[in-house]
Amino acid sequence: MTKHKTLKQWVDSVAALCAPDSVYWCDGSREEYDRLVALMKKEGIATQLNPQKLPNSFLFRSDPSDVARVENRTYIASTSKDEAGPTNNWIDPVELKKTMSGLYAGCMKGRVMYVIPFSMGPIGSAISKIGIEITDSPYVVVNMHIMTRVGSKVLDVLGETGEFIPCLHSVGKPLAAGESDNGKWPCAPLDKKYIAHFPEERLIWSYGSGYGGNALLGKKCLALRIASVMARDEGWLAEHMLILSITSPAGIKKYIAAAFPSACGKTNLAMLIPTIPGWKVECIGDDIAWMKFGSDGRLYAINPEAGFFGVAPGTSTESNPNAMKSISKNTIFTNVALTQDNDVWWEGIGYDAPEGKIIDWNGKEWDRTKPAAHPNARFTAPARQCPAIAPEWEDPKGVPISAFLFGGRRPSTVPLVYETFSWQHGVFTAATIGSEVTAAALDLKAGTVRRDPFAMLPFCGYNMGDYLAHWLSFSSRTDEAKLPKIYCVNWFRKSADNKWLWPGFGDNSRVLKWIFERLEGKAKGVESPIGVLPARDALDLAGLAIPPGNIDELLKVSGPEWRAELPSMRDHFNAIGPRMPKALYHELQKLEERLASI
Ligand code: OXD
Ligand code: MN
């Protein structure tokens, strides 16, 4: 337990409101993990997987209504609507607290209330932050064990007066006396789900969902939405970025952080195995980076998480062998399919579903015309299990970042890679990245570009205009030469006949190598109106069996295509509203002028 008065008072007040049967303080031990998993097995929520194939691993199936982040039920409840800005849902915080307090009243009846002290980042690092999550879900506790650093050591660092971020979570399903979940995933209906952030108070309240980022509050809620506000106020960066290191054959190591919207292969890039001899890539993190200035004026990054919460479908020995090894034991699977011998299976695992009865993510015998795993099925695995994890991944100082990469899915227009001209131009480029809408499921017309500044659209806890201004301000916080250089990448360009032009995956190391050599001042570049492209012979293509015409296409900058981008970039800036920085309109105008030459 703790001698921290404010913490004790908060826990007592939540217990009084939510009325659990008991309160339990988590110590983060292996014994605690095993005990909770055993409990969930008994309650029919967890299935033990084949211990020969997947030691100490378990499968969970969530309710079909509770399978992903719920963006339309996610709120930034700042005091003023303007503070949240036009890209966030907003409800007045007083009103929202009233509604949610009503929902929380008695919501933990029949359940245990778990108190989880956790550190985002290595315990005690100057860049790390402490959170306390209160939850009535043992599934959340075991996932937090993997995704964060949990336990008594965190309370020791917190001491009697340390700062912590209170994170309150309930699945929103009280139990009557003697009732149990009876194998059913507890959650509330969609219109009762709230994922609420009170940024001025650094407070998170989540109700009604037990899934992923809605419930593991250290991840998107704390490490991005609340941390982005803290970062603005304290002069640092909390970003939706992977962190990797790349080491040349000469043994020189550089660190790169990269942002892509969800489902653009971030985990694959973070763990890639280079196809070019002598080069090594190691992983520091696959989703979130917190960066602060070191005493040398450079930006140092830590991965605030301790695990991977990755999308299973599409993960295979071919697409990401390191991820497959990371999830070979001590892993929690959610909403994947179960084979007859208690192994997991999903679409894109790299082999056909085995014979015999397969149970789909709904818990029913699989109808082979439908997906067996939910498309957002996940694995939760300890980062330390990744064979490519960098030995320094938990260094409390962080790692110095030399380059930022931004990208999205762009079947046309955007070349494989280019370097931006300056910090301001780089911020402009990151502010306009996006992905082309391919599925007709969204309201947008196929081919429309959905712009997602810095891949932070769902995760920025304040006004997007102010966020962009915060990024711009970094060039006056240090010598610009000490800031990372900014690159745009696009692995997803297609030919006119709709074929991928670039093999991607391990071959993306060829692009990383060009970036590495640019940073060393060695690789040749060719200036274009949008930025500096690789000179044709500067990209290492040795051993790559793709038609030379593909490379021309991949590096093409078409005047008409780029001019056609300009109105949608302007609309996107206008939609951010009056707080949109003028400097970025200026960059847009400069781009337009440069494009006039081609
Ligand atoms: C994630 C996401 O789950 O970005 O990491 O959606
Ligand atoms: Mn993410």
Side-chain angles (χ1 to χ4, degrees):
M1 270 260 267
T2 177
K3 289 201 178 114
H4 196 297
K5 263 208 205 101
T6 327
L7 172 55
K8 279 213 288 215
Q9 276 164 6
W10 177 62
V11 170
D12 288 348
S13 67
V14 171
L17 175 65
C18 299
D21 281 4
S22 60
V23 177
Y24 172 82
W25 289 72
C26 299
D27 62 15
S29 65
R30 174 70 195 259
E31 184 275 324
E32 177 176 276
Y33 185 97
D34 292 346
R35 187 162 28 87
L36 290 178
V37 167
L39 180 82
M40 288 187 281
K41 259 168 56 181
K42 199 163 135 235
E43 287 178 350
I45 306 264
T47 304
Q48 172 109 40
L49 294 164
N50 186 323
Q52 267 78 50
K53 296 192 165 175
L54 293 162
N56 191 36
S57 298
F58 300 89
L59 167 67
F60 291 81
R61 295 188 195 96
S62 73
D63 189 87
S65 71
D66 201 27
V67 290
R69 282 189 284 111
V70 279
E71 283 180 25
N72 61 347
R73 305 293 306 168
T74 300
Y75 297 92
I76 301 297
S78 36
T79 334
S80 85
K81 184 170 194 305
D82 225 23
E83 231 1 78
T87 60
N88 283 312
N89 300 312
W90 179 83
I91 298 180
D92 175 75
V94 176
E95 184 190 323
L96 184 56
K97 279 196 174 166
K98 200 165 146 220
T99 309
M100 291 186 74
S101 297
L103 293 168
Y104 281 132
C107 73
M108 294 187 187
K109 278 200 183 119
R111 296 189 187 278
V112 177
M113 178 175 121
Y114 300 92
V115 183
I116 316 170
F118 64 96
S119 174
M120 296 309 289
I123 297 175
S125 156
I127 315 182
S128 301
K129 298 275 177 202
I130 289 177
I132 308 286
E133 176 158 354
I134 291 181
T135 181
D136 53 6
S137 161
Y139 169 83
V140 166
V141 178
V142 293
N143 274 272
M144 288 292 282
H145 264 235
I146 297 177
M147 293 305 297
T148 73
R149 290 134 178 119
V150 169
S152 322
K153 274 200 293 235
V154 177
L155 290 180
D156 294 345
V157 171
L158 196 58
E160 295 187 18
T161 53
E163 197 192 344
F164 69 92
I165 296 143
C167 309
L168 170 56
H169 169 253
S170 170
V171 294
K173 189 98 182 31
L175 294 169
E179 192 192 3
S180 92
D181 287 318
N182 209 9
K184 213 170 161 303
W185 175 270
C187 64
L190 187 64
D191 65 343
K192 294 279 186 304
K193 290 190 197 331
Y194 288 91
I195 319 299
H197 307 75
F198 302 92
E200 288 98 348
E201 283 180 75
R202 320 288 198 226
L203 173 68
I204 300 163
W205 278 11
S206 165
Y207 183 91
S209 167
Y211 194 84
N214 304 330
L216 313 176
L217 301 184
K219 193 174 180 64
K220 305 297 191 182
C221 297
L222 192 164
L224 289 175
R225 299 195 190 95
I226 292 295
S228 62
V229 177
M230 300 174 94
R232 175 199 62 188
D233 296 347
E234 298 166 7
W236 52 282
L237 293 166
E239 297 300 324
H240 189 204
M241 288 181 176
L242 65 90
I243 311 165
L244 60 79
S245 73
I246 172 162
T247 308
S248 68
I252 300 167
K253 191 170 208 177
K254 293 187 191 298
Y255 297 93
I256 294 177
F260 299 82
S262 309
C264 285
K266 260 169 84 189
T267 303
N268 294 345
L269 181 62
M271 300 178 190
L272 78 69
I273 298 177
T275 50
I276 39 178
W279 290 77
K280 186 157 88 180
V281 168
E282 289 171 317
C283 174
I284 286 111
D286 79 327
D287 196 38
I288 300 174
W290 284 357
M291 288 166 279
K292 283 193 178 163
F293 283 116
S295 52
D296 58 359
R298 298 186 68 193
L299 276 174
Y300 284 72
I302 61 159
N303 169 13
E305 302 189 283
F308 305 123
F309 184 67
V311 176
T315 305
S316 67
T317 301
E318 195 155 312
S319 68
N320 194 337
N322 282 325
M324 290 304 277
K325 289 192 184 119
S326 308
I327 61 178
S328 60
K329 57 186 176 193
N330 306 319
T331 297
I332 294 170
F333 295 91
T334 307
N335 292 342
V336 303
L338 181 69
T339 68
Q340 201 158 21
D341 63 347
N342 274 3
D343 196 358
V344 292
W345 190 83
W346 50 76
E347 282 71 20
I349 198 169
Y351 51 87
D352 290 340
E355 294 297 308
K357 189 163 155 185
I358 298 222
I359 306 295
D360 71 8
W361 69 275
N362 275 305
K364 308 235 162 65
E365 183 162 355
W366 179 35
D367 162 357
R368 288 181 184 247
T369 64
K370 302 213 172 98
H374 186 277
N376 191 38
R378 298 281 178 149
F379 52 77
T380 319
R384 68 183 133 76
Q385 291 187 176
C386 178
I389 201 78
E392 66 279 32
W393 81 281
E394 296 195 275
D395 187 340
K397 283 196 317 299
V399 295
I401 301 296
S402 296
F404 287 130
L405 268 53
F406 295 96
R409 286 182 179 264
R410 294 298 307 268
S412 71
T413 317
V414 179
L416 179 63
V417 58
Y418 63 92
E419 180 181 281
T420 60
F421 296 123
S422 63
W423 183 256
Q424 182 166 298
H425 178 234
V427 172
F428 166 82
T429 304
T432 54
I433 56 152
S435 283
E436 217 154 282
V437 177
T438 46
L442 288 160
D443 300 349
L444 296 167
K445 220 173 75 211
T448 310
V449 178
R450 209 168 175 237
R451 300 206 184 266
D452 183 351
F454 288 76
M456 280 289 278
L457 205 52
F459 308 119
C460 180
Y462 61 103
N463 189 299
M464 185 55 79
D466 292 349
Y467 170 82
L468 297 174
H470 180 57
W471 263 88
L472 286 169
S473 76
F474 275 68
S475 61
S476 58
R477 291 174 193 262
T478 189
D479 175 358
E480 189 168 326
K482 290 187 175 167
L483 286 171
K485 274 210 169 295
I486 299 180
Y487 294 82
C488 180
V489 295
N490 178 25
W491 320 131
F492 301 96
R493 199 155 175 176
K494 286 186 162 176
S495 62
D497 58 353
N498 208 30
K499 302 237 165 63
W500 300 117
L501 289 167
W502 182 248
F505 302 107
D507 284 314
N508 291 338
S509 58
R510 299 170 189 276
V511 173
L512 298 183
K513 178 181 171 189
W514 180 73
I515 292 171
F516 181 103
E517 291 176 345
R518 284 296 288 173
L519 296 167
E520 298 254 283
K522 286 186 186 147
K524 273 190 288 167
V526 182
E527 221 173 274
S528 84
I530 62 163
V532 180
L533 296 152
R536 196 63 167 70
D537 57 351
L539 211 48
D540 183 349
L541 301 173
L544 188 62
I546 63 170
N550 278 22
I551 304 298
D552 297 332
E553 272 293 294
L554 282 161
L555 298 179
K556 194 174 88 190
V557 179
S558 146
E561 276 180 359
W562 272 88
R563 276 189 290 279
E565 291 275 297
L566 298 169
S568 87
M569 289 183 178
R570 190 169 293 278
D571 289 349
H572 161 65
F573 283 180
N574 290 343
I576 292 172
R579 299 201 192 182
M580 182 68 203
K582 299 280 171 295
L584 296 181
Y585 279 107
H586 181 61
E587 282 297 327
L588 179 59
Q589 193 192 331
K590 288 206 297 195
L591 174 63
E592 186 163 10
E593 285 161 16
R594 291 195 301 269
L595 285 170
S597 70
I598 58 165

